[in-house]
Amino acid sequence: MKCPELFTIMQHNIRKPILDEDNMIKGEYHLLIETQGFNECYKENCAAWDKEKQMCRKVGE
């Protein structure tokens, strides 16, 4: 088993009201930004890192 990569999803919701000339809310602008990607493999998250084979091992192997 190789050290697993970490998949991340980050979402930003941006909302801004639409106001008329009397400062009454008539609606809103809504923008959703989503970023997806893989982070680097984190050796410190593995149970046992095998330096020779450069892979993660289960403890007791």
Side-chain angles (χ1 to χ4, degrees):
M1 166 174 102
K2 290 187 177 181
C3 184
E5 292 182 334
L6 182 62
F7 185 72
T8 59
I9 298 174
M10 183 179 297
Q11 290 186 340
H12 297 280
N13 270 312
I14 301 169
R15 295 177 183 265
K16 182 178 177 184
I18 299 171
L19 303 174
D20 65 6
E21 51 197 41
D22 296 326
N23 283 335
M24 300 293 292
I25 297 175
K26 295 295 180 182
E28 71 176 0
Y29 295 107
H30 181 211
L31 178 64
L32 172 67
I33 302 170
E34 182 173 285
T35 306
Q36 299 182 3
F38 285 97
N39 288 339
E40 294 295 318
C41 177
Y42 293 101
K43 295 177 185 177
E44 61 269 17
N45 288 341
C46 294
W49 182 256
D50 188 338
K51 290 181 183 177
E52 184 179 307
K53 295 181 182 178
Q54 291 292 306
M55 62 185 297
C56 184
R57 295 186 295 113
K58 292 181 183 175
V59 177
E61 283 184 351

